[in-house]
Amino acid sequence: MIIELAKEKYNGAINVVEIGRPGASVIRVGGETTLPFLFREGGMPNAPVTALEILDCEPMDWPDSLREPFGEAIKDPIRWAKAAVEKFGSKLLCVRLQSVHPDYGNRSSGESVSVLKAITKEVKVPLVVIGCGDDDKDNELLPKASQVLKGENCLFGIATQENYKTLTATCLADGHAVISESPIDVNIAKQVNILISDMGFDPKRIVMHTTMTALGYGMEYVYSIMERSRLAAFIGDKMLSMPFILFVGQETWKVKEAKEFGRRQGVNWEIVTSVSMLQAGADILVVRHPDSVKAITNYIKEMMR
């Protein structure tokens, strides 16, 4: 007796989002019609991608095991960016404009934007650009950064339920995609996407960040929220049909074990967390250690065969 495996078939699909200037280097994410890597049930036309994260200043709180691969370049954001792309092979670069934060240097937005502009002249890969996390600072900084990169088709973040209007308006004017963020909650994730779309922003230019953790039950909860969002999208919910971006490096290197037990433990933690998030549906993984980029990229290639 032949037993056939049950297969789920869905009518919906995840939006395809392009990052990068047409005619140059372009990254496409999304397009799935099934849960991750279930190729007998649907398609994954675009493989997930990994981005290395850099700051616009020397990091103050990174452990030596994380700083070591970049050497002296980590003190110069332009050299750091070139190393990330040319030496470590990152096809997508995430630049966090951290230096304007009151606790991290309190630079002027003009200084930060100048660094960002210099980086874009030196590296020719698509960019994810993130603010410092302080709403007042970001509302001043991100419009200037968006204008400087007009025409580059970057992915800008982060828009939240409390602070989305300024970023949405500037990305609409300058032709960038937007990251919408929610606190591990499907309903809020959908609401933020609706709010952004109601400003006239194309929902197919939104990438979702559900927020995450890299440890224990919290990571399981993130997984379940992402899976629920995907299933809702597959049955036709257009306000949850966005690709996912996850800042794995930021969360992983907060963990005490990653900081204190050396490079190998930290890298392993980053890789394992990334693999878990890929199985949950991640489309873009932002990591901090170059060893993780290589390992995760190889894993994705193997899974996409």
Side-chain angles (χ1 to χ4, degrees):
M1 178 179 176
I2 299 175
I3 299 176
E4 292 188 9
L5 295 176
K7 297 178 183 179
E8 293 282 356
K9 293 292 183 181
Y10 304 103
N11 294 321
I14 304 304
N15 301 331
V16 176
V17 176
E18 289 190 355
I19 311 168
R21 187 174 65 243
S25 178
V26 173
I27 296 288
R28 293 179 180 86
V29 294
E32 299 93 334
T33 58
T34 183
L35 292 171
F37 310 114
L38 299 181
F39 297 111
R40 293 186 179 183
E41 297 188 359
M44 286 183 69
N46 300 299
V49 296
T50 308
L52 258 179
E53 179 181 345
I54 71 167
L55 309 187
D56 66 339
C57 58
E58 183 180 356
M60 298 163 54
D61 52 358
W62 286 21
D64 290 343
S65 55
L66 183 53
R67 296 168 59 98
E68 183 271 333
F70 303 103
E72 290 297 308
I74 204 169
K75 298 180 180 181
D76 179 347
I78 293 89
R79 289 175 59 201
W80 189 2
K82 291 183 69 175
V85 174
E86 296 173 6
K87 182 177 180 181
F88 299 116
S90 184
K91 304 299 183 184
L92 179 66
L93 191 65
C94 177
V95 183
R96 187 178 294 272
L97 304 178
Q98 192 70 33
S99 66
V100 302
H101 195 283
D103 298 331
Y104 219 97
N106 204 28
R107 283 183 182 172
S108 70
S109 58
E111 289 179 277
S112 181
V113 170
S114 293
V115 172
L116 177 63
K117 188 175 181 180
I119 288 172
T120 59
K121 289 182 178 180
E122 293 295 332
V123 298
K124 302 303 179 185
V125 298
L127 295 181
V128 179
V129 181
I130 307 297
C132 71
D134 181 284
D135 286 350
D136 291 337
K137 290 284 189 176
D138 285 345
N139 285 338
E140 177 188 357
L141 168 68
L142 292 178
K144 295 178 181 178
S146 172
Q147 290 162 17
V148 163
L149 299 183
K150 185 172 184 177
E152 295 292 330
N153 190 26
C154 302
L155 176 59
F156 265 82
I158 292 174
T160 66
Q161 190 173 20
E162 294 76 26
N163 189 42
Y164 68 92
K165 292 183 178 179
T166 300
L167 181 60
T168 300
T170 193
C171 287
L172 182 61
D174 298 327
H176 302 299
V178 167
I179 300 171
S180 67
E181 182 178 275
S182 55
I184 319 181
D185 186 297
V186 173
N187 294 322
I188 296 178
K190 183 174 179 176
Q191 178 63 20
V192 178
N193 293 336
I194 291 172
L195 290 171
I196 293 172
S197 301
D198 283 348
M199 290 185 65
F201 200 89
D202 186 354
K204 295 182 179 180
R205 300 283 294 146
I206 299 173
V207 176
M208 290 197 300
H209 177 226
T210 62
T211 64
M212 63 167 293
T213 179
L215 191 65
Y217 176 71
M219 190 163 70
E220 295 178 19
Y221 189 49
V222 172
Y223 191 110
S224 68
I225 291 296
M226 292 174 65
E227 192 171 59
R228 285 171 57 194
S229 298
R230 275 289 152 93
L231 291 172
F234 290 150
I235 62 173
D237 194 329
K238 300 299 183 183
M239 288 296 109
L240 286 171
S241 299
M242 291 76 178
F244 285 118
I245 183 171
L246 293 169
F247 296 92
V248 177
Q250 180 185 21
E251 294 300 323
T252 299
W253 292 94
K254 288 180 182 177
V255 178
K256 183 180 74 172
E257 289 81 358
K259 285 184 175 181
E260 297 182 2
F261 295 167
R263 179 184 67 84
R264 181 44 50 195
Q265 179 73 4
V267 172
N268 285 344
W269 210 299
E270 196 167 44
I271 293 169
V272 169
T273 303
S274 296
V275 168
S276 299
M277 294 300 97
L278 284 170
Q279 296 294 339
D283 295 280
I284 303 173
L285 296 164
V286 181
V287 299
R288 289 184 169 176
H289 201 288
D291 287 358
S292 299
V293 174
K294 183 177 180 180
I296 298 164
T297 300
N298 287 340
Y299 175 83
I300 292 170
K301 287 180 179 178
E302 194 65 29
M303 293 298 292
M304 292 295 292
R305 286 185 177 181

